[in-house]
Amino acid sequence: HVSKTALTSLDCQRIAIYVFHNGTTAISGYPFIKFSCIYEYTNHNVEATIRGRNHKDVIIYEYSDLVNSLITDNEYVCSNIDNIDSQDQIVKFIAGSDVKSIYMRAIKSEDDDIIGFTVAEFSNYEDFLKVRDNSNLRKNMEAYNAVIKPIINHH
C-alpha cells in the first residue's frame, strides 16, 4: 500500500491527496476554482478524518497563499504551527487536528501544470525536522507523487 509506505517512510501522522477541479482560468489567473481531498491515510489506519471529509469543493481563494506557494515553489512548508499567526491560512487548513508541522508538495501534469498536491502532517515538529534535515522529505514526496499522478490524471 503506497500511502502506508509513504506514511512510514516520512514518520508522519497523516498523508493526503488533494486535486484541483472545476473550471477554466479563474479571475486570479489560476486554472481551477476548487480543490478537494480525494484520499487520506493516517497512522491510526483511519482513511477518512473529519477534516478529510470536510475538505471537499474548497474554494481556492480561501487558501490563496498556500496555492500560490505550491504553484511558484512546488511546495509549502510550515515547520512549527505554534509560531504561526492565528489568522494564517494554514491554521484554518489544519483546524481540528493536532498538527504541529506540515509539508505540501505540488503534483504536476506532464505539461508541468499543477493538478493537485500531497500533504504530510506531523504532530511532533521534531519528527518533521528529522525527516526534513536528512533530505528524505522532498525525495519521498516526489516518489509518492510519481506513483499517484496516474490516478489523479484519471480522477
Side-chain angles (χ1 to χ4, degrees), residues 34-119:
K34 299 177 181 179
F35 65 81
S36 293
C37 180
I38 61 166
Y39 182 79
E40 64 180 331
Y41 190 81
T42 73
N43 60 346
H44 301 295
N45 297 321
V46 176
E47 292 193 16
T49 65
I50 291 171
R51 215 162 17 101
R53 288 190 299 267
N54 289 338
H55 283 176
K56 303 291 184 214
D57 296 323
V58 178
I59 306 295
I60 64 165
Y61 76 79
E62 294 179 29
Y63 297 99
S64 57
D65 292 342
L66 299 177
V67 172
N68 190 49
S69 182
L70 288 165
I71 290 171
T72 58
D73 302 328
N74 291 321
E75 65 184 5
Y76 173 85
V77 182
C78 180
S79 58
N80 190 345
I81 297 292
D82 293 335
N83 294 335
I84 299 296
D85 183 283
S86 64
Q87 299 302 309
D88 194 284
Q89 294 173 349
I90 194 63
V91 174
K92 181 178 176 184
F93 186 87
I94 63 158
S97 74
D98 63 349
V99 172
K100 294 295 181 193
S101 302
I102 192 165
Y103 180 78
M104 298 177 174
R105 187 80 189 166
I107 303 169
K108 299 284 190 99
S109 70
E110 298 304 321
D111 297 330
D112 205 37
D113 294 324
I114 187 170
I115 56 176
F117 58 99
T118 47
V119 176

Side-chain angles (χ1 to χ4, degrees), residues 1 4 9 13 63 68 76:
H1 192 270
K4 185 174 184 177
S9 67
Q13 283 63 52
Y63 297 99
N68 190 49
Y76 173 85

